[in-house]
Amino acid sequence: MATDINNSAELPPAICLMGPTASGKTDLAIRLSEVLPCELISVDSALVYKGMDIGTAKPTAEEQARAPHRLIDIKDPSEPYSAAMFREDALREMAEITARGKIPLLVGGTMLYFKILRDGIAELPSAAPEVRERILQEAAEKGWPELHRRLQEVDPVTAERLKPRDAQRIQRALEVYETTGKPLSVWHQEQEDQRLPYRLVNLAIAPQERSVLHERIKIRFEQMIQNKFEEEVRGLYGRDDLDPTLPAIRAVGYRQMWSYLEGEMDFDEMIERGIIATRQLAKRQLTWLRGWSDVDWLDSLSPSLLDDALKVLKTTRIY
């Protein structure tokens, strides 16, 4: 079995601070950076875009003066930005921070980015029904031990860990090989080769009561409106190179305001839908986090939040 390099004490440390929208991640990250030798990297698919400040709750100029965030304002809204691009950018920034003797602190709510950063992006090929059916037919005629012998010829590493009658796994291994020409063991090794070369400590921040988070989301969206969010989106709307199909404009809040400007809904409905969409985003973020391994949860309303976080980090010997 491959060793999980994230658990190696010899690797440099990195902190992942995750949580749903409006949970207080930015504030805690800044406070941590003021007491620990950390530098911040944003993990947010909307904060990468220039000119999208209000609707993304982008750290203010004052906040960024206290603790500069990397990977903010690096793309124009007309430009694509993918999880793979984020991983490349984040690894570069992390290496630079580590080389200077500091600790990368990755903060944000785009859980897919965190996953791709941690696990890499080598995805196994999708199922091939026709190939699968042919393999199953052959197994019915010759038996699974015979197909196991064939697997030993094309992928001995996988065959060694499977029993001759392990039908489902033998079928999948042969299917991958016949579909791609590459043994399943090679696909797995490529996945392992992309594992993050850091010792991670994962912190998740959220209020304990869902109703509290919902209220915070409502208040924040209403504050965005007061802070001239409509004016910000009108500036984007007036550009000839932007439209609702772009990832930037599909961001929560922007999508609803854009529809309002298109005349597809009235102002009050836009606010209602924007709040609902943001709450749905928070629910998806929490679902991701509950499936995350090795996470230490922090109550965002705790009066000792900073001390709670520092206690976890000290226990894990991050500093």
Side-chain angles (χ1 to χ4, degrees):
M1 180 180 294
T3 301
D4 185 348
I5 65 173
N6 285 334
N7 291 331
S8 173
E10 298 177 358
L11 294 171
I15 303 167
C16 291
L17 177 54
M18 305 172 283
T21 185
S23 60
K25 298 182 296 294
T26 297
D27 180 65
L28 177 57
I30 292 173
R31 293 168 69 192
L32 283 170
S33 73
E34 291 175 336
V35 295
L36 294 178
C38 294
E39 293 190 16
L40 275 52
I41 299 174
S42 171
V43 186
D44 191 294
S45 60
L47 293 187
V48 299
Y49 293 114
K50 302 172 185 176
M52 295 176 57
D53 305 332
I54 300 170
T56 61
K58 189 172 290 180
T60 64
E62 179 184 356
E63 288 173 327
Q64 293 198 57
R66 289 173 59 194
H69 288 56
R70 301 176 185 229
L71 302 189
I72 284 181
D73 291 336
I74 61 173
K75 288 288 181 181
D76 184 84
S78 63
E79 297 176 306
Y81 193 72
S82 66
M85 295 167 70
F86 165 78
R87 189 174 201 270
E88 181 179 349
D89 289 341
L91 286 173
R92 182 189 65 248
E93 300 293 344
M94 293 173 75
E96 183 179 314
I97 292 169
T98 300
R100 294 176 34 227
K102 300 294 185 69
I103 302 171
L105 197 171
L106 298 110
V107 54
T110 302
M111 297 306 301
L112 176 61
Y113 283 12
F114 277 113
K115 182 181 187 303
I116 294 296
L117 179 65
R118 183 191 66 180
D119 297 339
I121 56 175
E123 298 290 343
L124 290 176
S126 57
E130 293 179 4
V131 175
R132 175 174 298 183
E133 185 62 32
R134 177 164 48 79
I135 292 172
L136 292 174
Q137 181 63 36
E138 189 174 350
E141 296 172 358
K142 300 180 181 179
W144 286 107
E146 177 60 32
L147 269 67
H148 184 263
R149 281 191 288 272
R150 194 208 306 168
L151 183 62
Q152 287 178 318
E153 297 174 2
V154 299
D155 188 356
V157 174
T158 300
E160 185 178 358
R161 64 181 179 83
L162 300 182
K163 296 180 179 180
R165 296 191 179 277
D166 197 344
Q168 185 175 359
R169 291 182 173 85
I170 293 171
Q171 169 264 308
R172 177 57 175 157
L174 286 172
E175 179 187 336
V176 167
Y177 177 76
E178 294 188 16
T179 303
T180 67
K182 185 191 301 183
L184 181 62
S185 58
V186 174
W187 283 94
H188 285 159
Q189 185 57 52
E190 289 176 352
Q191 183 82 38
E192 287 296 323
D193 290 345
Q194 293 190 66
R195 296 301 292 271
L196 187 64
Y198 282 84
R199 176 169 58 90
L200 293 180
V201 174
N202 300 305
L203 303 178
I205 176 176
Q208 292 184 342
E209 297 295 329
R210 182 75 61 88
S211 60
V212 173
L213 183 61
H214 282 183
E215 182 63 21
R216 290 177 66 149
I217 288 170
K218 178 176 182 292
I219 291 171
R220 190 165 84 172
F221 200 92
E222 291 171 346
Q223 289 174 339
M224 284 163 42
I225 298 297
Q226 296 172 8
N227 291 337
K228 301 183 179 180
F229 180 42
E230 179 180 346
E231 183 177 315
E232 177 178 85
V233 182
R234 281 192 181 276
L236 300 171
Y237 186 77
R239 290 177 46 171
D240 294 334
D241 58 344
L242 300 180
D243 63 69
T245 66
L246 292 168
I249 308 304
R250 291 203 306 268
V252 169
Y254 289 86
R255 180 170 67 249
Q256 288 74 30
M257 182 63 80
W258 194 281
S259 294
Y260 161 68
L261 297 178
E262 290 276 5
E264 297 174 358
M265 64 181 77
D266 62 29
F267 191 77
D268 290 340
E269 185 180 1
M270 176 272 295
I271 293 177
E272 180 183 2
R273 290 197 183 185
I275 292 171
I276 290 172
T278 309
R279 288 174 175 171
Q280 290 172 337
L281 170 62
K283 181 180 180 180
R284 292 193 299 272
Q285 291 167 319
L286 286 168
T287 299
W288 271 88
L289 277 168
R290 291 194 183 98
W292 209 262
S293 60
D294 300 323
V295 172
D296 286 284
W297 285 86
L298 302 170
D299 180 3
S300 59
L301 300 184
S302 170
S304 59
L305 176 59
L306 178 61
D307 288 338
D308 295 343
L310 290 172
K311 186 180 299 183
V312 172
L313 296 174
K314 189 169 185 179
T315 301
T316 55
R317 300 180 181 178
I318 201 77
Y319 72 98

